[in-house]
Amino acid sequence: MMLGRLGRLARGVPKGFTLLEVLIALIVVSLVMGSAVSLLRSQSQAFSLGSERADLYQNARYVVSVFERMTRTMGAGVAGSQPMLVYGGNDVLAFNADYQEVDTASMRWAVYFNPDADSLATVAWDSAAAGPIPNSTYVYPPRNYTLANGAPSPAETIILYFRPDSSTARTDDYVLYLRFNNREPTAVAANILADPAGRPFLEYFRLSGGTLAQVPPANLPLIRQAVVAGMTPAQAFAAQLPDSVVTIQLNFEITNGKTGPDERRLQVSTMVHAHNNGLPQPIVCGRTPLPPGLVTALPDTTPNSGLVTLSWTPSPDQGGGENDIRQYLVFRRLDTLPLPAWDLLANVRADTLSLYTFPISGNASGSAYQFGVSAQDCTPAVSTIATAIATAP
């Protein structure tokens, strides 16, 4: 009888959950899962955004670091009349430097030793294989550049240039390429856009009055050429203008390679310095150099032009002797007593010329002047000044 009663009591005890309890539990679980999924989604989006932003900064830093690393070597190891800054345009920079060497026997002056480098990309560009600088019609080199012993200069031509990316569906993105001499280029970075402010990829600055002054766009492209007889003052200035560039400003925008709402952009504008550009480069130096040869000053035939053309033959230490002449210094002063101090007018790079000619304007008509030229070697020691006298027309 007792067992029967217990059985009846057991059958009266509810088993499991009621429908209401199940519904409440489902609602709570749904709320918790929804919050978790929402949090996971937001965290995933934040992680993706942070990763893309990090990629943007990394890509931008790499572009800038390549430019800085390369540009700082501009002019290192150039020989004789070999130009330092070869060509400077809105989207291309070409210069000479002994940047890399392929063997340990010749790496005394090179910045890097790279046993895997193309041997034709470690010495001066051979004129027999001359070709246009990328993004231009300028054919380089005009001749071969050699050391005093006739061996090719160890300074190769380094070219950094931006070119539209034909591998994407976009029409506004670019690739940065690096090329040595006329060898195959290497892609440095992609997903590059032009500066949104409308500035070119590259801008050039020179020292003027102790401050940086931008080279006007009208003076571009910069092409370093030898000063030769028959050049006008404007042509002579343009031929030597590349030597005065000390800073290059880099302007661009980098993207994550996506379009629409998923696109991310980073604008970059920074300056890289070319500390060696235009400076005489030491190779072999010794005693104080000998002065230039015969110096003549020829007044212009146009009345009141004030123009006098200065000519001189090379120093015996250029192409002979110590083979260490890097440039000539041009001076002027009034031919009066007592004689005033010399005014330095220009630095003329030493080229393989048998006669140098340099037009000098700005002379006062009817005034007598002394014009002088001295040779400077790579110490940089300066010779005595060879002079000539002329009266400005």
Side-chain angles (χ1 to χ4, degrees):
M1 183 174 183
M2 181 63 68
L3 291 175
R5 182 178 298 174
L6 290 175
R8 289 194 298 272
L9 291 174
R11 286 195 296 273
V13 176
K15 296 181 180 180
F17 297 100
T18 66
L19 179 60
L20 179 60
E21 290 173 332
V22 171
L23 291 175
I24 293 174
L26 287 174
I27 293 172
V28 171
V29 170
S30 299
L31 291 174
V32 172
M33 290 298 295
S35 299
V37 170
S38 178
L39 178 62
L40 180 63
R41 182 182 296 111
S42 64
Q43 291 294 323
S44 176
Q45 290 175 346
F47 178 80
S48 177
L49 180 61
S51 177
E52 290 179 355
R53 185 178 291 111
D55 288 342
L56 284 179
Y57 280 102
Q58 183 177 1
N59 204 8
R61 280 197 299 267
Y62 186 66
V63 172
V64 173
S65 67
V66 168
F67 259 90
E68 287 184 336
R69 185 173 69 249
M70 296 289 186
T71 305
R72 286 174 181 171
T73 67
M74 184 185 301
V78 297
S81 60
Q82 187 178 18
M84 296 184 183
L85 199 162
V86 173
Y87 187 96
N90 290 328
D91 53 9
V92 55
L93 172 66
F95 57 91
N96 288 319
D98 189 5
Y99 182 80
Q100 62 180 356
E101 188 49 70
V102 71
D103 63 82
T104 55
S106 301
M107 64 169 294
R108 291 173 299 167
W109 309 109
V111 178
Y112 291 103
F113 167 59
N114 181 7
D116 299 321
D118 183 344
S119 60
L120 295 179
T122 62
V123 293
W125 190 346
D126 190 345
S127 63
I133 297 293
N135 298 348
S136 79
T137 58
Y138 177 60
V139 176
Y140 183 85
R143 64 180 187 81
N144 286 333
Y145 298 101
T146 61
L147 298 172
N149 61 4
S153 166
E156 58 269 20
T157 302
I158 301 169
I159 311 172
L160 290 159
Y161 60 100
F162 296 89
R163 184 163 287 179
D165 190 350
S166 59
S167 64
T168 68
R170 300 185 63 147
T171 59
D172 60 345
D173 57 342
Y174 292 79
V175 176
L176 172 63
Y177 288 98
L178 168 64
R179 200 181 90 180
F180 291 90
N181 293 344
N182 63 335
R183 315 311 292 166
E184 284 296 318
T186 300
V188 174
N191 299 327
I192 299 173
L193 304 182
D195 180 65
R199 294 173 296 184
F201 285 113
L202 302 172
E203 295 178 300
Y204 303 86
F205 292 80
R206 59 192 293 263
L207 282 176
S208 177
T211 60
L212 280 179
Q214 183 180 353
V215 176
N219 291 118
L220 299 184
L222 297 170
I223 302 176
R224 180 60 174 93
Q225 295 177 312
V227 178
V228 297
M231 277 188 171
T232 65
Q235 290 171 331
F237 173 79
Q240 298 179 88
L241 183 59
D243 284 346
S244 65
V245 171
V246 296
T247 299
I248 301 167
Q249 183 162 309
L250 187 60
N251 308 304
F252 65 94
E253 197 171 38
I254 207 84
T255 78
N256 59 352
K258 298 180 180 180
T259 58
D262 296 327
E263 183 185 44
R264 302 289 181 268
R265 296 189 180 195
L266 176 65
Q267 185 178 354
V268 178
S269 181
T270 186
M271 287 186 169
V272 295
H273 302 290
H275 300 290
N276 297 324
N277 185 41
L279 297 179
Q281 296 299 301
I283 295 179
V284 176
C285 285
R287 298 181 297 271
T288 299
L290 296 173
L294 180 65
V295 177
T296 59
L298 181 64
D300 190 50
T301 57
T302 304
N304 301 317
S305 66
L307 179 65
V308 175
T309 300
L310 190 64
S311 301
W312 67 92
T313 53
S315 163
D317 282 331
Q318 179 188 334
E322 293 185 7
N323 282 299
D324 60 355
I325 302 302
R326 295 294 172 263
Q327 63 181 355
Y328 293 95
L329 310 180
V330 179
F331 300 91
R332 176 182 63 188
R333 67 183 177 186
L334 286 169
D335 187 29
T336 58
L337 292 175
L339 288 171
W342 286 107
D343 289 328
L344 177 62
L345 299 181
N347 301 339
V348 179
R349 289 283 300 275
D351 275 303
T352 56
L353 301 175
S354 58
L355 180 67
Y356 289 85
T357 302
F358 190 83
I360 301 176
S361 57
N363 305 302
S365 297
S367 297
Y369 290 90
Q370 286 190 12
F371 300 94
V373 182
S374 65
Q376 187 178 53
D377 67 10
C378 50
T379 8
V382 180
S383 72
T384 57
I385 299 177
T387 63
I389 299 175
T391 299

Short mmCIF file of all heavy atoms in Angstrom, two decimals, residues 47-78:
data_model
loop_
_atom_site.label_atom_id
_atom_site.label_comp_id
_atom_site.label_asym_id
_atom_site.label_seq_id
_atom_site.Cartn_x
_atom_site.Cartn_y
_atom_site.Cartn_z
N PHE A 47 40.15 44.44 -36.78
CA PHE A 47 41.43 43.80 -37.07
C PHE A 47 41.81 43.95 -38.54
O PHE A 47 42.95 44.25 -38.88
CB PHE A 47 41.36 42.32 -36.70
CG PHE A 47 42.62 41.57 -37.01
CD1 PHE A 47 43.72 41.62 -36.16
CD2 PHE A 47 42.72 40.80 -38.17
CE1 PHE A 47 44.88 40.92 -36.44
CE2 PHE A 47 43.87 40.10 -38.47
CZ PHE A 47 44.96 40.16 -37.60
N SER A 48 40.79 43.77 -39.42
CA SER A 48 41.05 43.91 -40.85
C SER A 48 41.45 45.34 -41.20
O SER A 48 42.37 45.57 -41.97
CB SER A 48 39.80 43.50 -41.64
OG SER A 48 39.99 43.70 -43.02
N LEU A 49 40.74 46.30 -40.59
CA LEU A 49 41.06 47.71 -40.85
C LEU A 49 42.46 48.05 -40.34
O LEU A 49 43.23 48.72 -41.02
CB LEU A 49 40.02 48.61 -40.17
CG LEU A 49 40.20 50.12 -40.33
CD1 LEU A 49 40.14 50.51 -41.80
CD2 LEU A 49 39.14 50.87 -39.53
N GLY A 50 42.80 47.55 -39.15
CA GLY A 50 44.14 47.80 -38.61
C GLY A 50 45.21 47.16 -39.45
O GLY A 50 46.28 47.74 -39.67
N SER A 51 44.93 45.95 -39.95
CA SER A 51 45.90 45.27 -40.81
C SER A 51 46.11 46.02 -42.12
O SER A 51 47.24 46.17 -42.59
CB SER A 51 45.42 43.84 -41.09
OG SER A 51 46.30 43.17 -41.97
N GLU A 52 44.98 46.49 -42.72
CA GLU A 52 45.11 47.25 -43.96
C GLU A 52 45.85 48.57 -43.74
O GLU A 52 46.65 48.98 -44.57
CB GLU A 52 43.71 47.51 -44.54
CG GLU A 52 43.03 46.27 -45.08
CD GLU A 52 41.64 46.56 -45.60
OE1 GLU A 52 41.18 47.71 -45.47
OE2 GLU A 52 41.01 45.64 -46.16
N ARG A 53 45.56 49.22 -42.60
CA ARG A 53 46.26 50.47 -42.30
C ARG A 53 47.75 50.21 -42.10
O ARG A 53 48.59 50.98 -42.56
CB ARG A 53 45.65 51.12 -41.06
CG ARG A 53 46.25 52.49 -40.75
CD ARG A 53 45.60 53.13 -39.54
NE ARG A 53 44.21 53.50 -39.82
CZ ARG A 53 43.15 52.92 -39.28
NH1 ARG A 53 43.32 51.92 -38.42
NH2 ARG A 53 41.94 53.32 -39.58
N ALA A 54 48.09 49.11 -41.44
CA ALA A 54 49.50 48.77 -41.24
C ALA A 54 50.18 48.49 -42.58
O ALA A 54 51.33 48.88 -42.81
CB ALA A 54 49.63 47.55 -40.32
N ASP A 55 49.44 47.80 -43.48
CA ASP A 55 49.99 47.52 -44.82
C ASP A 55 50.23 48.82 -45.59
O ASP A 55 51.24 48.96 -46.30
CB ASP A 55 49.05 46.63 -45.61
CG ASP A 55 49.05 45.20 -45.08
OD1 ASP A 55 49.99 44.84 -44.35
OD2 ASP A 55 48.09 44.46 -45.39
N LEU A 56 49.30 49.79 -45.44
CA LEU A 56 49.47 51.08 -46.11
C LEU A 56 50.74 51.76 -45.63
O LEU A 56 51.56 52.23 -46.43
CB LEU A 56 48.27 51.97 -45.83
CG LEU A 56 46.96 51.69 -46.57
CD1 LEU A 56 45.89 52.68 -46.13
CD2 LEU A 56 47.16 51.79 -48.07
N TYR A 57 50.92 51.83 -44.31
CA TYR A 57 52.10 52.49 -43.76
C TYR A 57 53.38 51.76 -44.16
O TYR A 57 54.39 52.37 -44.49
CB TYR A 57 52.00 52.57 -42.23
CG TYR A 57 51.13 53.70 -41.74
CD1 TYR A 57 49.83 53.46 -41.29
CD2 TYR A 57 51.60 55.01 -41.72
CE1 TYR A 57 49.01 54.50 -40.84
CE2 TYR A 57 50.79 56.04 -41.28
CZ TYR A 57 49.51 55.79 -40.83
OH TYR A 57 48.73 56.82 -40.40
N GLN A 58 53.32 50.43 -44.15
CA GLN A 58 54.50 49.66 -44.51
C GLN A 58 54.88 49.87 -45.98
O GLN A 58 56.05 50.06 -46.31
CB GLN A 58 54.25 48.17 -44.24
CG GLN A 58 55.47 47.28 -44.53
CD GLN A 58 55.22 45.83 -44.17
OE1 GLN A 58 54.12 45.48 -43.73
NE2 GLN A 58 56.20 44.99 -44.34
N ASN A 59 53.88 49.87 -46.85
CA ASN A 59 54.14 50.08 -48.27
C ASN A 59 54.68 51.49 -48.52
O ASN A 59 55.63 51.68 -49.29
CB ASN A 59 52.86 49.86 -49.07
CG ASN A 59 53.13 49.51 -50.52
OD1 ASN A 59 54.26 49.27 -50.91
ND2 ASN A 59 52.08 49.46 -51.32
N ALA A 60 54.08 52.48 -47.85
CA ALA A 60 54.55 53.87 -48.00
C ALA A 60 55.97 54.02 -47.48
O ALA A 60 56.80 54.68 -48.11
CB ALA A 60 53.61 54.81 -47.27
N ARG A 61 56.25 53.43 -46.32
CA ARG A 61 57.60 53.52 -45.76
C ARG A 61 58.62 52.87 -46.69
O ARG A 61 59.75 53.35 -46.82
CB ARG A 61 57.65 52.85 -44.38
CG ARG A 61 57.12 53.70 -43.25
CD ARG A 61 57.56 53.16 -41.90
NE ARG A 61 57.06 51.81 -41.69
CZ ARG A 61 55.93 51.53 -41.06
NH1 ARG A 61 55.18 52.52 -40.58
NH2 ARG A 61 55.54 50.29 -40.89
N TYR A 62 58.23 51.78 -47.34
CA TYR A 62 59.16 51.10 -48.23
C TYR A 62 59.50 51.96 -49.44
O TYR A 62 60.66 52.05 -49.85
CB TYR A 62 58.58 49.76 -48.67
CG TYR A 62 59.54 48.94 -49.48
CD1 TYR A 62 60.71 48.44 -48.91
CD2 TYR A 62 59.32 48.68 -50.83
CE1 TYR A 62 61.61 47.69 -49.64
CE2 TYR A 62 60.21 47.93 -51.58
CZ TYR A 62 61.35 47.44 -50.97
OH TYR A 62 62.25 46.72 -51.70
N VAL A 63 58.48 52.62 -50.01
CA VAL A 63 58.72 53.52 -51.15
C VAL A 63 59.70 54.62 -50.74
O VAL A 63 60.67 54.91 -51.44
CB VAL A 63 57.40 54.13 -51.66
CG1 VAL A 63 57.67 55.21 -52.70
CG2 VAL A 63 56.51 53.05 -52.25
N VAL A 64 59.44 55.24 -49.59
CA VAL A 64 60.30 56.34 -49.12
C VAL A 64 61.70 55.82 -48.81
O VAL A 64 62.70 56.47 -49.15
CB VAL A 64 59.67 57.02 -47.89
CG1 VAL A 64 60.63 58.05 -47.30
CG2 VAL A 64 58.36 57.69 -48.26
N SER A 65 61.80 54.67 -48.18
CA SER A 65 63.12 54.14 -47.80
C SER A 65 63.97 53.82 -49.02
O SER A 65 65.19 54.04 -49.02
CB SER A 65 62.97 52.89 -46.93
OG SER A 65 62.42 51.81 -47.66
N VAL A 66 63.33 53.29 -50.08
CA VAL A 66 64.09 53.00 -51.31
C VAL A 66 64.63 54.30 -51.90
O VAL A 66 65.80 54.39 -52.29
CB VAL A 66 63.21 52.25 -52.33
CG1 VAL A 66 63.87 52.22 -53.70
CG2 VAL A 66 62.93 50.85 -51.85
N PHE A 67 63.78 55.33 -51.97
CA PHE A 67 64.24 56.61 -52.49
C PHE A 67 65.37 57.19 -51.64
O PHE A 67 66.37 57.67 -52.16
CB PHE A 67 63.08 57.61 -52.56
CG PHE A 67 62.50 57.76 -53.94
CD1 PHE A 67 61.47 56.95 -54.36
CD2 PHE A 67 63.01 58.71 -54.81
CE1 PHE A 67 60.94 57.08 -55.64
CE2 PHE A 67 62.48 58.85 -56.09
CZ PHE A 67 61.45 58.03 -56.50
N GLU A 68 65.22 57.13 -50.33
CA GLU A 68 66.25 57.68 -49.45
C GLU A 68 67.55 56.91 -49.59
O GLU A 68 68.63 57.51 -49.70
CB GLU A 68 65.77 57.65 -48.00
CG GLU A 68 64.71 58.69 -47.67
CD GLU A 68 64.34 58.68 -46.21
OE1 GLU A 68 64.54 57.62 -45.55
OE2 GLU A 68 63.86 59.71 -45.72
N ARG A 69 67.47 55.59 -49.56
CA ARG A 69 68.69 54.77 -49.62
C ARG A 69 69.44 54.99 -50.92
O ARG A 69 70.68 55.09 -50.93
CB ARG A 69 68.31 53.29 -49.47
CG ARG A 69 69.51 52.37 -49.41
CD ARG A 69 69.10 50.95 -49.08
NE ARG A 69 68.36 50.31 -50.17
CZ ARG A 69 67.08 50.00 -50.13
NH1 ARG A 69 66.37 50.29 -49.06
NH2 ARG A 69 66.50 49.40 -51.15
N MET A 70 68.71 55.09 -52.02
CA MET A 70 69.34 55.28 -53.32
C MET A 70 69.86 56.71 -53.49
O MET A 70 71.01 56.93 -53.89
CB MET A 70 68.35 54.96 -54.44
CG MET A 70 67.88 53.53 -54.49
SD MET A 70 69.20 52.44 -55.03
CE MET A 70 68.34 50.88 -55.17
N THR A 71 69.03 57.69 -53.18
CA THR A 71 69.37 59.08 -53.44
C THR A 71 70.57 59.54 -52.63
O THR A 71 71.37 60.36 -53.08
CB THR A 71 68.16 59.98 -53.16
OG1 THR A 71 67.05 59.52 -53.93
CG2 THR A 71 68.44 61.42 -53.55
N ARG A 72 70.72 59.02 -51.42
CA ARG A 72 71.86 59.41 -50.59
C ARG A 72 73.20 59.04 -51.22
O ARG A 72 74.22 59.62 -50.89
CB ARG A 72 71.75 58.76 -49.21
CG ARG A 72 70.69 59.38 -48.32
CD ARG A 72 70.54 58.59 -47.04
NE ARG A 72 69.51 59.16 -46.18
CZ ARG A 72 69.06 58.58 -45.08
NH1 ARG A 72 69.54 57.39 -44.72
NH2 ARG A 72 68.13 59.16 -44.35
N THR A 73 73.21 58.06 -52.11
CA THR A 73 74.46 57.64 -52.74
C THR A 73 74.76 58.41 -54.02
O THR A 73 75.79 58.17 -54.64
CB THR A 73 74.40 56.14 -53.07
OG1 THR A 73 73.43 55.90 -54.09
CG2 THR A 73 74.03 55.32 -51.85
N MET A 74 73.88 59.32 -54.43
CA MET A 74 74.06 60.04 -55.69
C MET A 74 75.45 60.67 -55.76
O MET A 74 75.88 61.39 -54.86
CB MET A 74 72.99 61.13 -55.83
CG MET A 74 73.03 61.88 -57.15
SD MET A 74 71.84 63.26 -57.23
CE MET A 74 70.29 62.42 -56.95
N GLY A 75 76.17 60.38 -56.84
CA GLY A 75 77.48 60.96 -57.07
C GLY A 75 78.63 60.18 -56.49
O GLY A 75 79.79 60.49 -56.79
N ALA A 76 78.37 59.16 -55.68
CA ALA A 76 79.46 58.39 -55.08
C ALA A 76 80.22 57.61 -56.15
O ALA A 76 79.62 56.83 -56.89
CB ALA A 76 78.90 57.42 -54.03
N GLY A 77 81.51 57.83 -56.24
CA GLY A 77 82.35 57.05 -57.15
C GLY A 77 82.31 57.46 -58.60
O GLY A 77 82.84 56.72 -59.45
N VAL A 78 81.69 58.60 -58.94
CA VAL A 78 81.68 59.01 -60.34
C VAL A 78 83.09 59.37 -60.78
O VAL A 78 83.94 59.77 -59.97
CB VAL A 78 80.72 60.21 -60.58
CG1 VAL A 78 79.30 59.82 -60.28
CG2 VAL A 78 81.14 61.41 -59.75
#
